[in-house]
């Protein structure tokens, strides 16, 4: 198993380099470059050229890429072109804020999905199954921002029960109760956004397990439906759920961009949206690279966790 894990880790390294090259290339072929966001119509061509030289944009493409990659590998994401603040420092502040919001919502959604998915799978074609599937369909089709606006209107405006923006009230940054009041609405929005897909995943896995031969064998030995479901089917259904832990890794950082932006939550979402509007390309590249890297690392973690749960995977790979 260790050999398999080492092999997968080594495969990730060139993949990360390819992703970094693609991210840098996408920014380079954009109709505007980083200098366009900080120049003014009154600037002379000489002043603009000095800015390009200062930021290394007068160098060939590959030279720019190598300079940027060297900077990233040293842990320096550069500075924002808009406010000249360190991108790395901003990410260190904002990523924990995003995780505080996304992690509880995802865990809640996962628990709900496991319960509803197993219940639906155990009652295939019955009213309960159809009801749960309908709820999932509504959840999937409902835009996140629309549901967020509904909560803001009813809970924040009409009933005045909860604050509608931010993570803290000014002057109450150390109050857990105040944080909780700001947390509830975006937490509900994300939970509703996450659980429908997860529920259908568990439901489909349950249907698949119920069609396996071992279920028929257990029935032939006189095992009851309840015994088969709880002792065998549910355990086999929950095994693939382990992979969701790895796949959820990128979601912990970039899975709430819309929700954070609607509620003004000081996470990655508003930071990326502001940078996009201002053509702040260093920030955009940093967030894109972070997101792509987390997707790759999430898949790696998923593979490793599944190998730990089922060592036959690593043996088959050999």
């Amino acid at each position: 198993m260790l050999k398999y894990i080492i092999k997968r880790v080594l495969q990730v390294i060139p993949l990360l380099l390819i992703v970094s090259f693609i991210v840098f290339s996408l920014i380079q072929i954009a109709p505007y470059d980083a200098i366009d966001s900080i120049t003014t119509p009154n600037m002379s061509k000489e002043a603009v050229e000095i800015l390009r030289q200062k930021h290394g944009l007068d160098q060939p493409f590959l030279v720019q890429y190598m300079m940027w990659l060297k900077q990233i590998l040293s842990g320096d994401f550069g500075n924002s072109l808009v406010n000249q603040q360190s991108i790395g420092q901003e990410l260190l502040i904002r990523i924990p804020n995003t995780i505080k919001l996304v992690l509880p919502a995802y865990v809640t959604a996962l628990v709900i999905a496991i319960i509803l998915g197993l219940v639906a799978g155990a009652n295939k074609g019955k009213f309960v199954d159809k009801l749960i599937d309908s709820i999932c369909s509504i959840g999937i089709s409902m835009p996140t921002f629309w549901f967020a606006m509904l909560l803001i209107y009813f809970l924040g405006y009409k009933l005045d029960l909860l604050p509608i923006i931010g993570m803290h009230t000014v002057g109450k940054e150390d109050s857990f109760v105040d944080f909780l009041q700001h947390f509830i609405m975006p937490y509900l929005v994300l939970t509703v956004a996450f659980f429908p897909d997860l529920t259908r995943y568990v439901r489909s896995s349950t249907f698949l397990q119920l069609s396996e031969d071992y279920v028929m064998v257990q029935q032939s030995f006189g095992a009851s439906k309840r015994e088969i479901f709880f002792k065998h089917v549910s355990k086999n259904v929950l095994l693939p759920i382990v992979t969701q832990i790895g796949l959820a890794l990128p979601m912990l950082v970039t899975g709430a961009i819309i929700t954070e932006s609607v509620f003004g939550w000081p996470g990655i979402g508003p930071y990326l949206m502001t940078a996009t509007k201002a053509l702040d390309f260093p920030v955009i590249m940093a967030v894109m690279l972070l997101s792509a890297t987390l997707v790759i690392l999430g898949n790696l973690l998923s593979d490793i966790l599944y190998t730990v749960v089922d060592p036959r995977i690593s043996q088959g790979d050999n």
Side-chain angles (χ1 to χ4, degrees), residues 40-67:
T40 64
N42 297 327
M43 280 187 178
S44 64
K45 291 183 179 180
E46 291 77 13
V48 173
E49 188 60 31
I50 290 174
L51 282 175
R52 291 187 183 280
Q53 292 176 4
K54 177 183 177 182
H55 293 281
L57 297 178
D58 60 328
Q59 300 294 325
F61 170 79
L62 289 178
V63 174
Q64 291 185 46
Y65 169 69
M66 293 306 298
M67 291 170 56

Side-chain angles (χ1 to χ4, degrees), residues 25-153:
S25 300
L26 289 174
I27 294 298
Q28 290 296 310
I29 63 177
Y32 303 98
D33 61 24
I35 299 303
D36 291 319
S37 64
I38 55 177
T39 56
T40 64
N42 297 327
M43 280 187 178
S44 64
K45 291 183 179 180
E46 291 77 13
V48 173
E49 188 60 31
I50 290 174
L51 282 175
R52 291 187 183 280
Q53 292 176 4
K54 177 183 177 182
H55 293 281
L57 297 178
D58 60 328
Q59 300 294 325
F61 170 79
L62 289 178
V63 174
Q64 291 185 46
Y65 169 69
M66 293 306 298
M67 291 170 56
W68 177 71
L69 182 62
K70 181 180 178 181
Q71 182 178 316
I72 294 296
L73 292 176
S74 65
D76 181 11
F77 289 93
N79 296 325
S80 166
L81 292 177
V82 175
N83 54 28
Q84 294 301 313
Q85 293 182 351
S86 170
I87 297 173
Q89 291 297 322
E90 284 286 334
L91 292 177
L92 285 176
I93 295 172
R94 292 176 178 277
I95 288 175
N97 291 341
T98 297
I99 293 176
K100 288 178 185 177
L101 175 62
V102 178
L103 182 59
Y106 188 83
V107 171
T108 303
L110 189 59
V111 172
I112 294 173
I114 291 173
I115 295 173
L116 293 183
L118 288 175
V119 170
N123 297 275
K124 183 178 180 180
K126 297 182 180 179
F127 173 76
V128 175
D129 176 34
K130 293 179 180 179
L131 176 62
I132 292 174
D133 188 50
S134 299
I135 293 173
C136 292
S137 297
I138 294 172
I140 292 172
S141 62
M142 182 170 56
T144 303
F145 72 89
W146 181 78
F147 182 56
M149 296 305 293
L150 281 181
L151 291 185
I152 288 174
Y153 179 74

Side-chain angles (χ1 to χ4, degrees), residues 37-302:
S37 64
I38 55 177
T39 56
T40 64
N42 297 327
M43 280 187 178
S44 64
K45 291 183 179 180
E46 291 77 13
V48 173
E49 188 60 31
I50 290 174
L51 282 175
R52 291 187 183 280
Q53 292 176 4
K54 177 183 177 182
H55 293 281
L57 297 178
D58 60 328
Q59 300 294 325
F61 170 79
L62 289 178
V63 174
Q64 291 185 46
Y65 169 69
M66 293 306 298
M67 291 170 56
W68 177 71
L69 182 62
K70 181 180 178 181
Q71 182 178 316
I72 294 296
L73 292 176
S74 65
D76 181 11
F77 289 93
N79 296 325
S80 166
L81 292 177
V82 175
N83 54 28
Q84 294 301 313
Q85 293 182 351
S86 170
I87 297 173
Q89 291 297 322
E90 284 286 334
L91 292 177
L92 285 176
I93 295 172
R94 292 176 178 277
I95 288 175
N97 291 341
T98 297
I99 293 176
K100 288 178 185 177
L101 175 62
V102 178
L103 182 59
Y106 188 83
V107 171
T108 303
L110 189 59
V111 172
I112 294 173
I114 291 173
I115 295 173
L116 293 183
L118 288 175
V119 170
N123 297 275
K124 183 178 180 180
K126 297 182 180 179
F127 173 76
V128 175
D129 176 34
K130 293 179 180 179
L131 176 62
I132 292 174
D133 188 50
S134 299
I135 293 173
C136 292
S137 297
I138 294 172
I140 292 172
S141 62
M142 182 170 56
T144 303
F145 72 89
W146 181 78
F147 182 56
M149 296 305 293
L150 281 181
L151 291 185
I152 288 174
Y153 179 74
F154 287 107
L155 298 182
Y157 176 68
K158 293 292 286 184
L159 300 177
D160 196 22
L161 294 176
L162 298 169
I164 62 177
I165 194 169
M167 191 171 73
H168 291 287
T169 302
V170 177
K172 297 183 178 180
E173 287 78 9
D174 296 328
S175 172
F176 178 74
V177 174
D178 181 70
F179 167 79
L180 200 60
Q181 290 174 336
H182 286 80
F183 169 81
I184 290 175
M185 280 201 289
Y187 162 78
L188 290 175
V189 170
L190 286 178
T191 301
V192 171
F194 290 151
F195 92 85
D197 284 326
L198 291 171
T199 300
R200 283 194 166 178
Y201 178 79
V202 177
R203 176 175 174 267
S204 299
S205 298
T206 304
F207 290 162
L208 183 62
Q209 289 298 320
L210 288 172
S211 65
E212 293 290 337
D213 293 337
Y214 73 85
V215 174
M216 188 179 299
V217 171
Q218 291 294 325
Q219 289 174 340
S220 65
F221 279 103
S224 64
K225 182 179 179 180
R226 178 182 293 271
E227 185 180 4
I228 295 172
F229 189 82
F230 285 103
K231 285 189 176 181
H232 303 283
V233 173
S234 60
K235 291 181 180 179
N236 290 330
V237 167
L238 294 178
L239 285 178
I241 299 298
V242 174
T243 63
Q244 296 296 319
I245 298 174
L247 297 176
L249 184 60
M251 198 176 297
L252 293 180
V253 176
T254 56
I257 291 177
I258 295 175
T259 303
E260 286 182 332
S261 300
V262 171
F263 288 99
W265 190 270
I268 296 295
Y271 188 50
L272 178 60
M273 296 291 283
T274 302
T276 303
K277 293 177 183 177
L279 297 179
D280 198 345
F281 287 113
V283 174
I284 297 172
M285 285 195 295
V287 176
M288 285 178 62
L289 181 63
L290 176 63
S291 178
T293 301
L294 289 175
V295 170
I296 294 171
L297 295 179
N299 279 278
L300 173 63
L301 178 60
S302 178

